[in-house]
Amino acid sequence: MTQSRSFPVALVALVAIAAAVLATSATADDHKAHKKRDHHAAREALLRREVLPLTRILAIAAERAPGEVIEVELEEAGPGRLKYDLKILAKNGRVRELELDAKTGATLKLEDD
């Protein structure tokens, strides 16, 4: 390949790499902002007594699906409803998914993944 052809190819590659880096950076910033909004919304829901505190949810989970909690998410369960989605590592090594109504603690779903 001659030098005159290699320069445009190198330039295109450099621009593609720079675009990918910028997109990754923007995605990371968006993710951080999204997590901050989620945290704020969860805190506000707790203050309005729309959700049970996490300590209460973990106690309910320990009763209904004993094991080690490996993930907890607060998610929408429909219009105006929230749920806690928990992943629990049972003593037998299986991962169980437990969904609890965020306001009442009622079990919405319990299954093995």
Side-chain angles (χ1 to χ4, degrees):
M1 187 181 282
T2 66
Q3 187 172 1
S4 62
R5 283 189 175 176
S6 64
F7 178 72
V9 171
L11 182 60
V12 169
L14 183 60
V15 169
I17 291 169
V21 168
L22 289 174
T24 301
S25 176
T27 301
D29 290 344
D30 290 345
H31 182 70
K32 285 181 185 177
H34 182 70
K35 284 186 77 165
K36 189 172 185 177
R37 282 191 307 270
D38 285 351
H39 177 74
H40 180 71
R43 179 79 177 140
E44 290 296 316
L46 180 63
L47 292 173
R48 290 189 305 267
R49 298 186 187 270
E50 294 173 356
V51 299
L52 292 172
L54 185 57
T55 53
R56 179 70 184 121
I57 290 297
L58 294 174
I60 292 169
E63 293 171 6
R64 300 195 187 143
E68 183 179 341
V69 175
I70 56 177
E71 183 179 344
V72 178
E73 293 181 359
L74 181 62
E75 301 176 343
E76 288 188 29
R81 293 186 51 219
L82 295 170
K83 68 178 180 174
Y84 282 102
D85 186 12
L86 297 96
K87 293 205 186 310
I88 300 166
L89 180 61
K91 292 182 189 233
N92 66 4
R94 306 272 322 236
V95 175
R96 303 187 82 191
E97 184 176 341
L98 174 64
E99 290 182 5
L100 300 173
D101 182 281
K103 188 171 187 170
T104 66
T107 300
L108 302 174
K109 179 171 83 171
L110 176 59
E111 66 182 25
D112 292 338
D113 272 352

